[in-house]
Amino acid sequence: MRANSFLIYNRAMPEFHALVPAAGYGARMGHELPKQYLPLAGQPLIFHALNTLCASPEIATVFVVLAPDDALFHTYEWPHFGDKLQPLYCGGATRAESVANGLLASELEPDDWVLVHDAARPCLTQAHVARLIAELRDDEVGGILAVPVADTLKRADDQGRIARTEDRAGLWQAQTPQMFRAGLLAQALRQCGNVTDEASAIEALGLRPRLVLGESTNFKVTYPQDLLLAELLLGQKGK
Ligand code: CTP
Ligand code: MG
């Protein structure tokens, strides 16, 4: 692709796509309904991230990676998303596998940018997406939204007592979206084992993704108590 100047001319505007892994079960939520379908602010939880990504004018397609036996996604109506939303029933046993399978099924060009975003982060805003794209569109490697660690960090011993206090200087909490070229990310995920985010796979190639300052409001809904906070934040949107 890179060697063909005609194609590069035709793709002068970089393309951005989103890929939302949503093939997990939500074991830590402890509910019989998979986490991504739990009711949140009047919609299934996954709706909120899809809504923000589909409304982003810079994003061409929003791929959502579902478990092969997902029987719920199609039972909801996703009225105003139209063709921009593309479900892919190819989720794997781990998040990394789901993302790798989704990339393959999406048939993106190697140079396309892909923003991988957890279905379980419903409080993502247009401003977060716009900032990530603006800061990384000319970057060689890509990067992630993240926030500096605010709390004091304690290392536990095996009796649940504090072994020591860790230095938090320079530590950041990784969030999503994580934005990389589709070809590079697919290669990175093929080469590394099970990683918990895309940046780890890119780092394993010896590259150094950029940290783009996000907000703590873009947290991941993991435990039952997180639902209330997400509901409150979503209620503030647009006020
Ligand atoms: N995910 C996925 N495929 C998997 C596992 C996770 O697509 N095999 C997705 C989840 O659906 C979620 C995102 O990755 O949108 C982040 O994962 P996490 O919050 O850990 O969700 P779960 O794995 O479903 O939750 P838990 O770890 O509590 O089981
Ligand atoms: Mg998980």
Side-chain angles (χ1 to χ4, degrees), residues 30-182:
H31 201 282
E32 60 189 34
L33 199 61
K35 177 168 75 173
Q36 55 273 30
Y37 297 118
L38 289 177
L40 180 67
Q43 296 284 352
L45 190 146
I46 189 177
F47 167 89
H48 301 284
L50 297 180
N51 193 34
T52 299
L53 293 164
C54 284
S56 166
E58 286 165 300
I59 291 180
T61 323
V62 178
F63 298 99
V64 52
V65 183
L66 303 163
D69 61 351
D70 186 303
L72 289 171
F73 189 81
H74 78 277
T75 65
Y76 296 99
E77 293 195 357
W78 311 99
H80 55 287
F81 298 154
D83 286 348
K84 191 160 174 174
L85 183 64
Q86 297 281 333
L88 302 171
Y89 289 83
C90 60
T94 63
R95 184 183 178 285
E97 242 181 78
S98 295
V99 173
N101 293 352
L103 280 175
L104 201 64
S106 69
E107 299 185 347
L108 292 178
E109 297 293 333
D111 285 347
D112 283 340
W113 285 107
V114 60
L115 284 77
V116 180
H117 182 67
D118 294 326
R121 292 184 191 268
C123 301
L124 179 74
T125 66
Q126 293 285 344
H128 298 147
V129 176
R131 180 190 292 184
L132 187 71
I133 291 178
E135 294 215 15
L136 297 178
R137 66 190 311 150
D138 296 321
D139 197 90
E140 279 293 300
V141 178
I144 71 171
L145 280 182
V147 289
V149 169
D151 293 329
T152 300
L153 295 175
K154 304 295 185 190
R155 172 77 55 187
D157 65 14
D158 53 12
Q159 282 138 41
R161 291 185 172 274
I162 297 171
R164 62 177 180 274
T165 299
E166 299 285 355
D167 184 5
R168 70 166 178 236
L171 289 184
W172 291 59
Q173 279 180 278
Q175 298 183 341
T176 69
Q178 303 207 349
M179 176 172 149
F180 297 101
R181 302 269 184 187

